């Protein structure tokens, strides 16, 4: 389901009415990290540097080995290609 939704996000590229931090916090606990379209969509809408900064900052709010911190690190990885 997330793969199809991600493909639609990238294809349609709708305007985003929610703040980036809110989207990342919401997605961190449930996002399938192999679905690369969400980070790419966020990069296209908010900009690479802003996504990297927000993902890094928000990851520090969670325990390092938590699912949320790992997901936010993966967002950063998809956008930059680096850990």
């Amino acid at each position: 389901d997330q793969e199809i939704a991600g493909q639609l996000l990238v294809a349609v590229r709708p305007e985003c009415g929610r703040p980036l931090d809110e989207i990342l916090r919401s997605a961190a606990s449930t996002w399938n990290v192999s679905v690369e379209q969400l980070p790419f969509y966020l990069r296209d809408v908010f900009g690479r540097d802003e996504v990297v900064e927000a993902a890094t900052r928000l990851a520090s709010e969670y325990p390092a080995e938590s699912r949320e911190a790992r997901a936010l690190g993966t967002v950063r990885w998809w956008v930059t290609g680096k850990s």
Side-chain angles (χ1 to χ4, degrees):
D1 292 345
Q2 287 185 21
E3 180 74 28
I4 293 167
Q7 290 171 0
L8 285 171
L9 270 179
V10 171
V12 176
R13 200 171 292 157
E15 287 188 35
C16 187
R18 294 173 59 193
L20 177 59
D21 283 13
E22 183 180 324
I23 294 167
L24 289 172
R25 277 191 187 104
S26 175
S29 63
T30 59
W31 170 58
N32 178 339
V33 298
S34 67
V35 178
E36 73 272 14
Q37 292 90 349
L38 177 61
F40 294 162
Y41 167 75
L42 295 174
R43 177 200 62 202
D44 292 347
V45 171
F46 292 100
R48 177 189 174 276
D49 293 341
E50 189 168 344
V51 174
V52 169
E53 185 278 324
T56 302
R57 180 173 35 78
L58 294 174
S60 71
E61 296 177 0
Y62 298 96
E65 294 304 314
S66 69
R67 194 232 187 282
E68 292 86 355
R70 289 192 316 267
L72 291 163
T74 304
V75 167
R76 196 172 51 241
W77 182 84
W78 276 119
V79 172
T80 64
K82 303 173 191 167
S83 57

